[in-house]
Amino acid sequence: MYYSKDHLWVKVDNSIAILGITDYAQSTLGEIVFLELPEVGLQQ
């Protein structure tokens, strides 16, 4: 698993990525009301 400074994580399994937020972020941020994902196949 890979973690960001903003308490986000990603787990890559073959060609599938699973995204999440840490327990700390869940307890301090409250509700997630917006999520913006890149287009499928877009690499940065």
Side-chain angles (χ1 to χ4, degrees):
M1 290 175 63
Y2 301 95
Y3 291 88
S4 76
K5 295 177 188 176
D6 301 321
H7 300 280
L8 303 171
W9 58 262
V10 62
K11 179 181 179 183
V12 180
D13 186 14
N14 294 319
S15 63
I16 297 175
I18 301 169
L19 306 172
I21 61 174
T22 63
D23 288 338
Y24 174 78
Q26 290 177 50
S27 65
T28 58
L29 294 175
E31 292 184 26
I32 297 175
V33 295
F34 182 86
L35 178 66
E36 184 175 348
L37 299 173
E39 294 181 32
V40 174
L42 182 66
Q43 295 183 5
Q44 296 183 355

